[in-house]
Amino acid sequence: MKNLIAELLLKLAEKEEESKELVAQVEALEIVLTAMLRKLDPDHFNEIAAGITSAMPPLAPAAETPDTTLLRNYVEKLLNHPRI
């Protein structure tokens, strides 16, 4: 029983480490993307934003899931309220 608990704790620690790595990767990508977007002239930025918006049309309320809502909100945040 102790071995099983030890194994589970070890697997949990590994998963937590993987999760931390993914968070760091996402934050790094957000910083790089924000820096790139800020270098664009307004017309080019608006073209990119319009392309993203058209690629993510609104879903019918029944088709919207918490995951799609989270994704849509995060994309909007990156485009309209980028990290400083």
Side-chain angles (χ1 to χ4, degrees):
M1 185 68 165
K2 287 182 182 180
N3 285 341
L4 178 60
I5 292 172
E7 279 185 48
L8 290 173
L9 288 173
L10 184 59
K11 285 184 181 184
L12 181 62
E14 289 171 356
K15 294 294 181 185
E16 187 174 331
E17 190 61 33
E18 291 172 5
S19 176
K20 286 180 183 179
E21 186 176 324
L22 285 173
V23 168
Q25 289 176 359
V26 168
E27 288 180 355
L29 287 170
E30 181 181 353
I31 290 167
V32 170
L33 178 63
T34 298
M36 292 171 69
L37 289 173
R38 288 180 178 204
K39 292 287 185 182
L40 296 175
D41 63 79
D43 289 337
H44 197 185
F45 174 83
N46 290 334
E47 284 179 34
I48 291 172
I52 292 169
T53 301
S54 68
M56 295 180 62
L59 296 174
E64 193 80 22
T65 67
D67 289 341
T68 57
T69 301
L70 185 64
L71 177 65
R72 189 177 307 282
N73 289 343
Y74 201 73
V75 168
E76 184 178 325
K77 177 187 166 203
L78 280 173
L79 292 175
N80 298 321
H81 310 288
R83 182 182 261 197
I84 296 174

